[in-house]
Amino acid sequence: MPSQTQTAVILQKKGLIEFGEKPIPALTDEHWVKVQIKATGICGSDVHFYKYGSIGDFVVKSPMVLGHESSGIIAEVGSAVKTLKVGDRVALEPGYPSRYTEATMSGHYNLCPFMHFAATPPCDGTLTKYYLTPFDFVYKLPDNVSYEEGALLEPLSVGVHANKQAGTRFGDKVVVFGAGPVGLLNGAVAKVFGALQVVFIDVVDEKLERAKHFGATAVINSSKLRINDEFELAVAIKEKLGGVDPDIVLECTGAEPCIRAGIRALKTGGTFVQVGMGKDDANIPITQFSCREITLKGCFRYCHGDYQNALDLVATGKIPVKLLVTRRFTFDEAVKAYMFNAEHAEEVVKSIISGPE
């Protein structure tokens, strides 16, 4: 008799990740599909839950399967699904909302209060063999897009959404704080959307070197300036932009010094988008927003159209997401992979877990 369980990568509690067994899910909804997972990226949120047990209001209170940046192959389809078939290679959008809220009806389903999002408490994630999801949150991959690239559509969608929030357009001068995966992809999207100059800021030279493949026209290692001097950093940004202030700041670190420096650097009337998650409260120069009519926008995941846009950017070769990958692990090495990411944050850009087979 075939096994009724499957191995999963489970965050048991803060500080403890183990392999465990979960039931193989049965497909019971005619509008859903069962996907066999083939590749999963390790996200900073996964590592944050492991190290701290919470992100904002999301608190790990019981064991949770990790993983939400995934792609795979269709193993089973519901009877009402007409656009996908068994054997199709797909990327999974890892969150699906209630169908009956104002946020969903308006296209902003990322703000739905009843969002079910993989590997966000209390919802299990994708790091197991089979995963169920609604068919309309699955995207068929063209032949030229690999499983790895399909998994990386998730962070790329954040970059698409952030730039839509910013209103990035031709001629803009954009500053990106943070050259991790989300920062790199935010800058890459900004360049594709028409930004003429994109300045990346980070403290790791290797990451800034990688930014040159993701739209960077200039980089700044802020660790070589006076520590936490937001005014000096604002001056350095202006110099990199040829003596003018940036139109847009995409803040992808969540670090208070970066937030403050970004506000100081931004031009009067510019747009500041907070992408990175940091501590719950930050001390910022709030009068700058009113006195200089700066627009402050949040960025939470992605919404209608963003995932498809991300897929199109990869399929047409406009953004080389595979250059993000710095480490690869098999499913059997998944616990090791999380330990490595937690302990070598400065060395890692993106790790990918393949399988399980």
Side-chain angles (χ1 to χ4, degrees):
M1 181 177 179
S3 174
Q4 301 300 305
T5 65
Q6 56 183 350
T7 303
V9 181
I10 301 173
L11 176 61
Q12 298 288 0
K13 60 182 180 179
K14 182 177 78 171
L16 179 61
I17 299 174
E18 296 180 324
F19 289 108
E21 292 298 308
K22 288 281 187 175
I24 295 175
L27 185 61
T28 58
D29 190 306
E30 64 180 358
H31 295 99
W32 283 44
V33 296
K34 180 186 288 187
V35 181
Q36 181 180 348
I37 302 299
K38 291 293 187 180
T40 301
I42 294 181
C43 177
S45 66
D46 294 334
V47 177
H48 200 281
F49 279 127
Y50 161 67
K51 293 175 68 174
Y52 304 106
S54 65
I55 297 177
D57 294 335
F58 300 107
V59 180
V60 178
K61 297 179 180 179
S62 60
M64 176 182 75
V65 178
L66 290 170
H68 64 267
E69 301 178 0
S70 288
S71 63
I73 186 169
I74 298 291
E76 188 178 352
V77 298
S79 60
V81 177
K82 306 302 181 187
T83 57
L84 296 165
K85 65 182 185 302
V86 172
D88 282 345
R89 299 165 58 256
V90 295
L92 285 70
E93 186 169 348
Y96 55 87
S98 162
R99 307 293 180 160
Y100 309 108
T101 65
E102 182 177 351
T104 300
M105 295 294 289
S106 67
H108 300 94
Y109 56 77
N110 56 321
L111 304 180
C112 173
F114 306 108
M115 172 68 76
H116 181 289
F117 198 89
T120 297
C123 305
D124 280 336
T126 58
L127 262 174
T128 189
K129 187 168 186 177
Y130 294 110
Y131 185 78
L132 298 183
T133 191
F135 84 93
D136 52 338
F137 283 81
V138 170
Y139 299 81
K140 187 174 179 180
L141 297 177
D143 291 342
N144 67 321
V145 177
S146 68
Y147 285 124
E148 278 192 0
E149 291 170 313
L152 293 170
L153 296 184
E154 199 278 340
L156 179 55
S157 295
V158 176
V160 171
H161 188 66
N163 277 276
K164 288 181 182 179
Q165 290 288 86
T168 308
R169 59 184 181 178
F170 178 76
D172 280 339
K173 299 170 181 63
V174 177
V175 172
V176 181
F177 282 83
V182 171
L184 292 172
L185 294 173
N186 267 263
V189 175
K191 197 70 184 300
V192 171
F193 277 19
L196 289 184
Q197 297 186 65
V198 180
V199 179
F200 282 88
I201 299 165
D202 204 286
V203 296
V204 180
D205 282 333
E206 290 79 6
K207 292 183 178 181
L208 291 171
E209 183 65 27
R210 191 176 299 269
K212 295 175 183 178
H213 299 289
F214 290 89
T217 56
V219 300
I220 298 172
N221 187 324
S222 57
S223 69
K224 297 177 181 178
L225 305 175
R226 290 195 297 272
I227 295 176
N228 293 339
D229 190 326
E230 63 205 51
F231 295 96
E232 182 182 0
L233 185 49
V235 170
I237 291 169
K238 189 169 186 174
E239 289 175 350
K240 290 290 186 181
L241 292 173
V244 299
D245 299 322
D247 303 286
I248 293 166
V249 167
L250 301 171
E251 206 299 300
C252 300
T253 72
E256 185 175 299
C258 295
I259 298 171
R260 293 182 61 89
I263 294 167
R264 298 289 185 192
L266 192 61
K267 79 171 188 179
T268 295
T271 300
F272 184 102
V273 180
Q274 186 59 45
V275 185
M277 299 287 283
K279 61 184 182 180
D280 288 345
D281 298 298
N283 180 21
I284 65 172
I286 193 65
T287 57
Q288 293 289 312
F289 286 95
S290 55
C291 293
R292 296 199 289 127
E293 291 198 352
I294 292 171
T295 298
L296 170 63
K297 289 191 174 184
C299 176
F300 189 55
R301 298 171 180 157
Y302 28 77
C303 63
H304 179 68
D306 296 335
Y307 233 84
Q308 184 61 54
N309 291 161
L311 175 55
D312 292 340
L313 289 172
V314 173
T316 56
K318 289 183 169 57
I319 295 183
V321 290
K322 60 187 176 184
L323 295 182
L324 288 177
V325 182
T326 50
R327 296 281 301 206
R328 292 175 172 86
F329 299 87
T330 65
F331 184 79
D332 291 341
E333 299 172 316
V335 174
K336 172 185 172 182
Y338 277 100
M339 301 304 102
F340 183 86
N341 274 248
E343 295 166 7
H344 300 83
E346 289 195 356
E347 300 174 31
V348 175
V349 177
K350 177 61 68 175
S351 293
I352 295 285
I353 298 170
S354 62
E357 297 303 323

